[in-house]
Amino acid sequence: MPAEDAESDKQQLKDAVRSIILVQGNEFIKELLRKHKLQIGTKKADFSKNILAAIDAGTLTRPMIEDWLSEVEGWGNQHIYLFKPPMVPKAEIRRKFEKSDFAKLIDTAVSYEFPEDLELSAVSLTADHLFISWHRGAGGWERTPSKDFERIEDEERYKYQAYRERFDRSVVRFAWRFTDPFCAVMIQLAVEGDAHTPIHLHVRDDLKHIGLFDANPERIPLSQAFKNMTLQNDTLVQSTRMMTDGGHVDAVSTLSEGGIGDVEALLEARRGVNDNSFAGADGQFHFLQTKHGKLSRNVKVQGYGVESRVRVWVQCKREDVYIVLGVIWANQ
């Protein structure tokens, strides 16, 4: 690559990284630096300086950052809906993509583009999974009074009001690991009113266009899983709600540490409930590293059984998400 092209590529990568750093959790940025034996620092300003210096030095490259992003961006801190997987034979998936409008996106690198409107941006198709990513972004300026200042120049007083540039990067995924009995639509946008409805429609239409589904994807009810999880000891159950026509029953732990399993009266009350009398169930669960050793961190989850929705409250790695989904599925 000519020197001027290499320099331009580095500058584009640095511009993308600046926006990534603003929205990534500190622990995950540290992980990137630690993995490649780069100087870390103590705050985001240090991370940014060290990452940009490593790009200049060539010790942190585009493939390294893309590999890191594929593990952490768009996983966790999201709403996950479970669906029955497509019936299409795995061997035909690539051919269907090649006949669609998205053929050029097969096996593309992680996209750094976040357009204003949701847009299919990348497709990862391997022998064991199909991950499709849609990106949406928004920029803006956020008032930052702590950076305001005044100065006098030529006997005139000037007052400067500061604004901090803000980047909002949101990822929507269709994730299907072929060995799993489910696939998932993962939405990294707030659920307010019907905010997720147009996203589901957009994703559904693209999946139909590709040929993965002929009819609308069918959601997998999760109420039974959440009922069963409240009686297991591998997750800390903060609360559970069991619903029927005309009412619901709640069990809620108010302990600062511990769940309903740590309150004997609540546990006895929960065991006395006839699950078959309740059509729906929700719950708040804590997946702890002490119980699930492969987790990179503790993961707080809210489950909505009738909606087939799981709200993961913390940013985490891809494997963390699948550990959570695996436990939920095992309780079906």
Side-chain angles (χ1 to χ4, degrees):
M1 182 185 294
E4 57 271 23
D5 290 345
E7 188 59 36
S8 175
D9 184 67
K10 283 184 179 180
Q11 188 57 52
Q12 290 175 8
L13 185 57
K14 287 160 74 174
D15 290 343
V17 163
R18 287 188 184 95
S19 70
I20 293 167
I21 290 173
L22 287 178
V23 297
Q24 282 296 328
N26 287 359
E27 287 304 314
F28 296 102
I29 302 172
K30 288 180 183 178
E31 184 179 275
L32 170 67
L33 294 165
R34 190 180 297 115
K35 179 179 179 180
H36 297 290
K37 298 179 172 58
L38 300 171
Q39 184 176 350
I40 297 175
T42 58
K43 53 188 178 181
K44 278 195 174 179
D46 299 330
F47 307 156
S48 179
K49 180 180 70 175
N50 294 334
I51 287 175
L52 298 180
I55 291 172
D56 278 332
T59 52
L60 189 60
T61 63
R62 185 180 293 270
M64 291 175 181
I65 294 173
E66 288 172 353
D67 180 64
W68 169 67
L69 279 179
S70 70
E71 290 292 329
V72 302
E73 185 161 67
W75 302 95
N77 192 22
Q78 64 193 162
H79 302 265
I80 303 173
Y81 298 82
L82 294 190
F83 293 86
K84 292 184 178 179
M87 299 298 293
V88 58
K90 316 302 182 294
E92 294 185 16
I93 294 176
R94 183 173 295 272
R95 181 177 60 81
K96 287 183 175 295
F97 265 100
E98 289 171 349
K99 293 171 63 177
S100 76
D101 293 338
F102 307 117
K104 64 180 181 180
L105 296 176
I106 302 176
D107 301 328
T108 52
V110 173
S111 173
Y112 294 102
E113 298 296 324
F114 281 77
E116 289 186 13
D117 297 320
L118 194 66
E119 183 177 300
L120 201 158
S121 303
V123 177
S124 173
L125 176 58
T126 70
D128 60 7
H129 74 244
L130 170 63
F131 296 151
I132 306 174
S133 300
W134 291 259
H135 285 181
R136 192 175 86 177
W141 294 91
E142 188 175 78
R143 184 76 174 89
T144 314
S146 63
K147 297 295 184 180
D148 291 352
F149 68 93
E150 296 183 13
R151 75 178 186 184
I152 296 176
E153 184 178 323
D154 297 331
E155 299 185 1
E156 298 284 350
R157 177 173 295 203
Y158 294 86
K159 182 177 182 178
Y160 294 82
Q161 294 186 331
Y163 291 80
R164 180 177 65 86
E165 190 173 13
R166 187 190 76 247
F167 295 94
D168 296 319
R169 299 162 60 94
S170 299
V171 179
V172 173
R173 291 188 188 277
F174 172 79
W176 180 21
R177 295 193 312 185
F178 300 143
T179 55
D180 290 333
F182 58 83
C183 60
V185 173
M186 305 179 176
I187 301 177
Q188 205 177 44
L189 294 161
V191 54
E192 297 174 356
D194 293 328
H196 283 184
T197 299
I199 297 171
H200 280 296
L201 292 175
H202 188 120
V203 170
R204 184 196 68 190
D205 289 347
D206 283 350
L207 295 178
K208 283 185 173 182
H209 167 74
I210 294 164
L212 294 177
F213 291 93
D214 294 326
N216 292 342
E218 183 179 349
R219 290 193 189 183
I220 298 172
L222 297 177
S223 288
Q224 189 59 48
F226 297 141
K227 291 176 188 177
N228 293 340
M229 286 171 63
T230 62
L231 297 172
Q232 305 299 324
N233 61 6
D234 60 352
T235 54
L236 188 156
V237 184
Q238 195 71 42
S239 66
T240 181
R241 167 171 288 190
M242 303 183 63
M243 298 161 288
T244 188
D245 290 341
H248 61 262
V249 172
D250 287 335
V252 181
S253 168
T254 58
L255 297 174
S256 58
E257 294 184 11
I260 64 175
D262 299 296
V263 182
E264 188 62 30
L266 288 179
L267 189 57
E268 286 299 317
R270 170 64 189 94
R271 287 171 176 162
V273 172
N274 181 356
D275 287 8
N276 294 329
S277 299
F278 296 87
D282 297 342
Q284 186 176 111
F285 309 93
H286 294 260
F287 290 74
L288 306 177
Q289 287 179 297
T290 53
K291 297 286 188 178
H292 306 277
K294 292 185 178 180
L295 286 175
S296 68
R297 61 174 301 171
N298 294 338
V299 179
K300 177 183 174 183
V301 168
Q302 186 77 36
Y304 302 88
V306 175
E307 297 180 44
S308 306
R309 176 163 64 95
V310 178
R311 173 66 164 105
V312 180
W313 283 100
V314 294
Q315 185 186 17
C316 52
K317 298 177 70 174
R318 177 172 63 190
E319 188 56 31
D320 296 331
V321 170
Y322 274 105
I323 289 171
V324 168
L325 295 181
V327 172
I328 292 172
W329 183 263
N331 279 280
Q332 279 288 93

